[in-house]
Amino acid sequence: MTGEPLAAATATATATATAVGAGALAGLRVLDVSTLFAGPMAAMHLGDLGAEVIKVEHPRRPDPSRGHGPEKDGHNLWWKTLGRNKRTVSLDLSQPAGQDLLVRLAATADVMIENFRPDTLERWNLGYERLSAQNPGLVLARVTGFGQVGPYRRRPGFGTLAEAMSGFASLTGEPDGPPTLPPFGLADGVASLATAYAVMAALHARSRTGLGQVVDLAIIEPMLAMLGPQITRWDQLGSVQPRTGNRSANNAPRNTYRTSDGAWVAVSTSALSIAERVMRLVGRPDVVDEPWFATGSGRAAHADDLDGAVAAWVGQRTRDDVIAAFEAAEAAIAPVYDAGDIVADPQFNALGTIAYVDDDDLGRIAMQGPLFRMSRDGAPIRFTGRAPGADTDAVLGELGLGAEELASLRARGVL
């Protein structure tokens, strides 16, 4: 699928990828040379759609994400999901022999994703000029905290820093409390989707020109893009959005409310018709005819009154009764779920959101499945995250390396 004819190894790689499974991206080969979350998650998304993904890790210092989060019987659970659909190869890219092998792998690939600090690949003689010399169609996605240019380019960059610098943390939390960070990798997740999107855009451009290109993705930018008109508001009004807790600065009632049985529900009234139905349901039809009620900002200015009415009504009923009443009134509501609730929910089950995959170490395990369904090109999760270097011999064997050469490279610490 690359823009130029490649060596025989390309044909082998394409045949292998096609044989692995179906999917919209079957036949696409991706090298995942990134670590931790944004880059590897982007590669995971591509693999979910059928791409063959080869995970390249240092032989003695594999992806640190293998050590994050909970474990069972010594097996990292996060990696079982993050590493799914990825063949794993060990390569020391600081050694010339490892660099040469990565160049040979890149000659067979459509996409490479990396997240080293800027200039690291160049220091290893692995810049795009060399990587694309034999494969002009290669798309190189470079995912870093702050991008390839600018005064912060060489700073260590993690999603937490992006959540702070993008303005997300300043908007999140109670009005009288501190800025609040999410308890999971939100910025990394958003950046992973942006990276996958950028890669597909570059591949589409390649279909016209035959040429790949470099994608420069700074994790601070996709997160900022998700936050609405923050910059335009500051530019035009000279103001910044304050923290409002679970309330919205744009409409009301919008909050979480506790039911009589100790559960929580979330209510949203972005549309005027929904706001009207909610207030009639909770016994406050009088506010619907107020002039201020007709706009979201007008309702937000009266959030104390509206929130109080909804909270009082919800607090007198069980969660099931509240949800049933809202559904009957065609008003918008959702229960606040934890993981156990999600797995049991009939809507998630109808969508097939939870995938059950056989794992060599833990047996059958559950995980979130791909992000969406396709009517013609769906693809199953083919396997869970593998051990470091599990496929080194097989993948490098496709490049023509024999057992003796592999043994020599392993003895020298390259593999």
Side-chain angles (χ1 to χ4, degrees):
M1 293 189 60
T2 46
E4 296 289 332
L6 301 176
T10 305
T12 302
T14 302
T16 301
T18 303
V20 165
L25 299 183
L28 193 77
R29 183 176 247 206
V30 178
L31 300 183
D32 176 9
V33 195
S34 58
T35 59
L36 292 173
F37 304 112
M41 198 177 299
M44 182 197 77
H45 293 316
L46 299 175
D48 283 347
L49 295 179
E52 180 201 14
V53 181
I54 298 173
K55 174 73 174 181
V56 178
E57 300 173 271
H58 192 282
R60 291 164 296 282
R61 297 186 299 276
D63 191 331
S65 66
R66 292 178 179 273
H68 280 243
E71 294 186 351
K72 181 181 178 183
D73 299 335
H75 300 289
N76 181 267
L77 300 182
W78 201 339
W79 176 254
K80 293 297 184 182
T81 297
L82 188 63
R84 69 191 186 199
N85 297 328
K86 298 180 183 182
R87 297 204 286 168
T88 58
V89 171
S90 295
L91 276 183
D92 185 347
L93 300 182
S94 69
Q95 296 195 44
Q99 297 159 11
D100 291 343
L101 287 170
L102 184 69
V103 172
R104 291 174 64 179
L105 282 173
T108 73
D110 299 281
V111 178
M112 178 170 140
I113 302 173
E114 66 95 7
N115 70 337
F116 298 107
R117 291 197 204 181
D119 302 329
T120 300
L121 285 186
E122 287 74 14
R123 190 173 69 250
W124 289 338
N125 192 27
L126 289 172
Y128 186 69
E129 183 176 353
R130 184 184 181 196
L131 292 173
S132 63
Q134 298 179 56
N135 182 5
L138 180 69
V139 172
L140 175 62
R142 314 193 74 169
V143 184
T144 58
F146 303 102
Q148 299 295 312
V149 299
Y152 303 160
R153 60 192 291 270
R154 294 194 56 78
R155 289 183 180 179
F158 298 100
T160 297
L161 309 187
E163 288 148 9
M165 283 187 64
S166 65
F168 172 84
S170 73
L171 300 177
T172 308
E174 294 300 323
D176 57 352
T180 303
L181 297 167
F184 63 98
L186 178 60
D188 284 305
V190 172
S192 77
L193 294 171
T195 301
Y197 166 46
V199 163
M200 298 312 300
L203 290 172
H204 179 70
R206 190 186 70 179
S207 71
R208 300 193 316 271
T209 66
L211 298 174
Q213 57 188 296
V214 177
V215 172
D216 174 12
L217 188 135
I219 297 175
I220 55 176
E221 291 182 305
M223 194 67 190
L224 173 60
M226 297 297 104
L227 299 182
Q230 304 299 320
I231 302 302
T232 307
R233 172 178 176 160
W234 176 86
D235 175 65
Q236 295 296 306
L237 301 176
S239 65
V240 296
Q241 182 174 322
R243 286 192 291 282
T244 56
N246 288 325
R247 288 182 175 179
S248 169
N250 303 312
N251 64 82
R254 189 266 199 179
N255 214 322
T256 57
Y257 306 92
R258 194 168 191 175
T259 63
S260 64
D261 53 351
W264 290 86
V265 294
V267 172
S268 177
T269 58
S270 296
L272 174 60
S273 60
I274 300 296
E276 292 173 346
R277 292 169 193 166
V278 168
M279 298 317 298
R280 290 189 176 107
L281 174 65
V282 302
R284 288 295 305 277
D286 57 295
V287 298
V288 172
D289 294 326
E290 294 287 346
W292 51 262
F293 194 86
T295 65
S297 57
R299 297 194 301 276
H302 292 78
D304 287 344
D305 185 25
L306 301 179
D307 255 351
V310 176
W313 186 91
V314 169
Q316 297 170 4
R317 294 162 175 81
T318 66
R319 185 180 77 174
D320 288 348
D321 287 344
V322 169
I323 291 175
F326 266 70
E327 288 184 348
E330 297 185 357
I333 193 171
V336 176
Y337 274 173
D338 62 20
D341 297 320
I342 294 167
V343 171
D345 184 84
Q347 182 61 35
F348 283 120
N349 282 305
L351 293 170
T353 303
I354 307 304
Y356 294 87
V357 190
D358 291 328
D359 178 75
D360 291 340
D361 301 310
L362 301 174
R364 197 160 179 80
I365 63 176
M367 61 181 63
Q368 302 97 310
L371 298 173
F372 49 82
R373 290 148 298 282
M374 300 181 71
S375 63
R376 295 181 59 184
D377 288 299
I381 297 172
R382 302 182 292 280
F383 49 86
T384 58
R386 301 183 192 255
D391 303 285
T392 299
D393 288 6
V395 171
L396 298 184
E398 293 166 8
L399 296 179
L401 277 70
E404 290 186 8
E405 189 172 3
L406 290 169
S408 174
L409 289 166
R410 192 164 277 115
R412 289 150 49 195
V414 177
L415 306 183

